[in-house]
Structure formats: C-alpha cells, structure tokens
Amino acid sequence: MKTIQSDNYQIHIGNDADFWECFNAFVSAEKFSRKLIVVDENTSVHCLPLLLAKTEAASWPVIAIKSGEQNKNLATCEQIWAQMMDLQLDRKSLVINLGGGVIGDMSGFCAATFKRGIYFLQMPTTLLSQVDASIGGKLGVDFKTIKNSIGVFKNPEAVFTCPDFLQTLPFAELRSGYSEIIKHALIGAEVLWADLQQLDINTLNSKEVPLPQTPDWDDLIYRSLMVKQTVVAQDPFETGLRKILNFGHTIGHALESHALESPEPLLHGEAIAIGMICESWIAFAQKQLLEQDFKAFYSLLLKQIPSKKISEEAIPELIALMQQDKKNENGLINFTFVPKAGKANFNQNAPIPLIAESLHRYNTLLS
Ligand SMILES: NC(=O)c1ccc[n+]([C@@H]2O[C@H](COP(=O)([O-])OP(=O)(O)OC[C@H]3O[C@@H](n4cnc5c(N)ncnc54)[C@H](O)[C@@H]3O)[C@@H](O)[C@H]2O)c1
Ligand SMILES: [Zn+2]
C-alpha cells in the first residue's frame, strides 16, 4: 500500500491486506455513527462484491443510482438526500462513495450538504477517478446543461483507491483515464513522461482477465496523484496555479460539449487528448514550445488515445463554446501551455484565428 498525505486527509492506494486492514480500521473509528454506501448500477454489480468480501459492509445500507453523466444532476441528488433522510443519517454518519467521478462528485456533494455536511470517503473505481477526480475537493453536479455548475469545495475524510476495481472497467474508460495520467506527466512530472514512452495502453485492448500486472497500476496512480496533490495543496481554490490542471481542457471541454449532441460522443479523456494537442500547437505557434517537443507530445497522444477528426464546419461553434469557459478573464480565452514536459504556464492567451487554426492543424496531423 502507498499513502499520500494531503493537508487534512490521507489517500491510500493498494490492493493488499494492509490496504483493506487500513480501510476497516478507518471506518471503525468511533467518530462515525453509521455507514452508508452509494453506488451506481454498474459499480453495484462490479465493485460492491469486492468491498463486501473485504469488509463488514454487508450490514451497511446501499443507495444505488442510475449511472452516467446525464444523471449527474439535482434530480438524482434529491433521490440521494431523500434516502439519507429515510435512513435517518445523523451528522456523524459516513458515506462511502463507490464509483467513478460521477458518484464521487455527486454523492460527495450530497454528503457535504446533507444536514450541513456529514462525513464521506471516496473509493474511486474508474482510472479517471483514481488518478484525478477523487482528490482535490471539488464536488458537484451539472445544472441546465452546464457541467459542474452547482457544487462546493470539501475534502473527503479519506480516499481509498484500489486498482483491482479496474478489472471490470470497459477498455475505452480505462484509456480515457490514461489521458489524465499523460496530462499530469506533461504538466508536472518529467520522469513520468519519460516512463510513459515505454508504455502502450492499447496492448490491454484485448481485455485480458485479470488485468495484466504491467503497468504497475499502484505506481502509475500514485505518481499521477502526486502531481495533482502537489498543485492542489498550493492553490486549493484555483485562484492561480491550480489552473494548470486544466491543460488540454479549454479546447477539450468544448469538443466534449459539442460531441454531446452528436451520435458519436467523445469520452472526457479522448476530448482532453485532442485538446492537449491543439493547445500545444498554439504554444508552438506562439514560440512557447519547441517543434521537437510538440512532435513528441502529439506522437504519444495520437498513439495512445483514439484520434477523431474535428468537423471543420464545427470550428465556429467550438470557439463559441470556448468563449463561455468559466476560466476566461477579460473576455480572453484562457489556456495553460506546457513549454516542456514537466512544466506548465497558466493564464495564457491566443488570438481566436490561431485557436481555430489549431483545430484545423490537428486534422492535418491525422492524414
Ligand atoms: N472532482 C474533480 O476534480 C473531477 C475531476 C475530473 C473529472 N470529474 C468528473 O468525473 C466525471 C467522470 O468520471 P468517470 O470517467 O469516472 O465517469 P463515470 O463515473 O460515469 O464512470 C464511467 C462508467 O464506468 C462505470 N464504472 C465505474 N467503475 C466501474 C468498474 N470498476 N467496472 C465497470 N464499470 C465501472 C460507470 O458506471 C460509468 O458507466 C465527470 O462528471 C467529471 O466532471 C471530477
Ligand atoms: Zn479532465
């Protein structure tokens, strides 16, 4: 088991006896009155059995909600709050969020607001939530089609990350999470970036069962989380430095939102990978990134994450979506640029025509 000390909670990563002993000791603390597990329809089938096998959880009540981003809204929160009420949870109850980023963000938000806040812990089950969403204290739901527009900052009591949950994760979801590992390497871990050159996530596509031992998942998750944790510790409320975590996300979010209306939606990590390539091209075009580094960035990203042509007609709509990004200041679209692997500069801008050209350039890289 590996442990990361955050300011006021610990993040444990592992699948060994120590990990589960640590979990059992943690939840048995006297400060917690009752325990409740929140799952979605998939984690209830694929992840709950492991939790039940390793812990005393069989006697704890379970709330199961529908899976998917389309259910990450206030209507589902109402269902969760209503069941918390029916179960008569008190202020000392502990909610265990067993699921991906949707469960972590939404059920964490419900716990943080129920009776002005009850205890919760994150037990992330997707690679994306294991390397990213489960830490950093951002909780919330989507509202009126705007992602994460209602929410709070609150840290969990602890995070327990077990890579064994990844065994049942669909390959496309695994690869989507891998994109955030690449992002963390690029913005803050040069050595990890070098190590990623030796890995090929697509060799796992055959969906071997059990999931192969390589890569060393504990190690990969730990190193990725260390990048985020180090950044969040310095700027928990995103007044400055934390914006570097949004590398690839200005263009990526626009692509993701746009794709929601298409028959072929993009997974978050797929959109972010394209975003990282386009934003790096802008940095290169503005002489903030060397050509050889730009080539190294896009070569790895194109090899690891599926590339999907951007419709040229969609470019004005994509720019309009970027103009609504909540990170923008003074009417300028806000970016983070990576001038070399392991370094990042936030609050960067670019003229609109150059942003539009980056999308076009991305398409030319595919042909
Ligand atoms: N709070 C943050 O800092 C932060 C950061 C990044 C992303 N997010 C949020 O995270 C969400 C995306 O998270 P996600 O990619 O984990 O999505 P998700 O929670 O929707 O999970 C993806 C799919 O995998 C299923 N699943 C989960 N674990 C499984 C397992 N072990 N085996 C089989 N199926 C499993 C889920 O039911 C779902 O269908 C978004 O809402 C995003 O806004 C939050
Ligand atoms: Zn992301």
Side-chain angles (χ1 to χ4, degrees):
M1 180 178 76
K2 291 178 159 65
T3 296
I4 298 175
Q5 181 65 48
S6 177
D7 40 359
N8 55 356
Y9 67 100
Q10 290 187 321
I11 303 155
H12 304 285
I13 306 149
N15 60 354
D16 53 8
D18 280 0
F19 174 85
W20 290 108
E21 219 169 88
C22 179
F23 176 85
N24 284 319
F26 183 86
V27 296
S28 311
E30 264 183 32
K31 74 172 188 176
F32 304 128
S33 54
R34 302 186 59 198
K35 266 78 76 178
L36 163 75
I37 306 169
V38 180
V39 289
D40 71 19
E41 50 201 323
N42 295 317
T43 60
S44 111
V45 176
H46 298 298
C47 305
L48 192 54
L50 179 64
L51 184 65
L52 298 184
K54 299 285 188 184
T55 67
E56 309 269 291
S59 58
W60 307 337
V62 176
I63 294 181
I65 56 159
K66 286 201 170 139
S67 70
E69 186 74 28
Q70 68 279 18
N71 295 305
K72 188 183 169 186
N73 54 34
L74 288 173
T76 313
C77 289
E78 273 197 39
Q79 292 170 18
I80 297 173
W81 284 320
Q83 292 187 64
M84 286 176 166
M85 197 79 92
D86 290 347
L87 289 163
Q88 298 179 328
L89 295 192
D90 60 25
R91 296 274 288 272
K92 293 170 78 188
S93 303
L94 173 69
V95 179
I96 294 155
N97 297 324
L98 181 66
V102 168
I103 287 283
D105 281 15
M106 177 163 55
S107 179
F109 173 67
C110 289
T113 46
F114 186 74
K115 298 197 172 169
R116 295 205 180 84
I118 61 176
Y119 298 122
F120 68 96
L121 71 76
Q122 304 291 34
M123 192 162 240
T125 62
T126 61
L127 187 58
L128 186 129
S129 58
Q130 295 194 344
V131 302
D132 189 348
S134 58
I135 73 160
K138 285 187 182 177
L139 308 169
V141 292
D142 307 334
F143 183 60
K144 290 193 183 290
T145 75
I146 309 291
K147 254 179 84 91
N148 302 326
S149 43
I150 305 286
V152 295
F153 277 102
K154 190 178 180 193
N155 284 325
E157 293 304 299
V159 180
F160 284 90
T161 295
C162 178
D164 282 355
F165 289 124
L166 302 177
Q167 301 278 357
T168 53
L169 193 64
F171 175 71
E173 295 287 353
L174 190 78
R175 191 171 47 188
S176 173
Y178 193 69
S179 185
E180 299 282 6
I181 297 181
I182 300 175
K183 180 198 79 180
H184 284 149
L186 280 173
I187 62 169
E190 197 185 352
V191 178
L192 178 58
W193 169 251
D195 290 349
L196 293 185
Q197 312 299 316
Q198 315 306 321
L199 285 181
D200 185 1
I201 192 80
N202 291 301
T203 58
L204 307 180
N205 199 3
S206 53
K207 198 62 200 150
E208 292 164 57
V209 178
L211 201 61
Q213 295 296 303
T214 42
D216 178 343
W217 295 102
D218 285 21
D219 183 62
L220 212 51
I221 294 165
Y222 173 83
R223 292 163 80 191
S224 186
L225 284 176
M226 278 303 287
V227 173
K228 178 162 179 181
Q229 176 51 36
T230 309
V231 169
V232 169
Q234 294 171 70
D235 178 23
F237 301 113
E238 201 165 308
T239 53
L241 181 71
R242 188 170 175 164
K243 293 182 192 172
I244 69 170
L245 297 172
N246 294 314
F247 173 52
H249 285 60
T250 302
I251 291 182
H253 272 155
L255 290 163
E256 201 180 3
S257 305
H258 191 260
L260 283 178
E261 281 129 46
S262 96
E264 222 193 315
L266 277 176
L267 289 179
H268 178 73
E270 295 170 351
I272 282 0
I274 301 174
M276 287 190 273
I277 295 173
C278 294
E279 293 177 16
S280 295
W281 182 83
I282 299 170
F284 160 65
Q286 298 197 133
K287 303 203 176 349
Q288 294 183 56
L289 173 66
L290 294 175
E291 186 169 19
Q292 74 211 52
D293 288 333
F294 171 57
K295 278 189 179 155
F297 293 5
Y298 78 68
S299 303
L300 185 104
L301 284 160
L302 287 180
K303 191 168 148 220
Q304 296 299 307
I305 314 292
S307 27
K308 299 196 176 155
K309 249 195 157 73
I310 300 166
S311 145
E312 300 271 337
E313 297 85 73
I315 292 178
E317 288 166 59
L318 291 165
I319 299 284
L321 283 164
M322 287 174 222
Q323 283 168 325
Q324 287 167 29
D325 194 307
K326 54 181 179 281
K327 296 183 299 295
N328 295 346
E329 280 170 28
N330 308 324
L332 290 169
I333 299 175
N334 193 291
F335 292 101
T336 283
F337 293 146
V338 170
K340 72 186 273 290
K343 276 191 139 310
N345 299 325
F346 59 92
N347 283 351
Q348 302 296 307
N349 308 119
I352 302 280
L354 204 65
I355 303 171
E357 192 178 346
S358 76
L359 297 160
H360 170 71
R361 293 285 177 139
Y362 168 79
N363 281 340
T364 63
L365 289 177
L366 305 185
S367 45

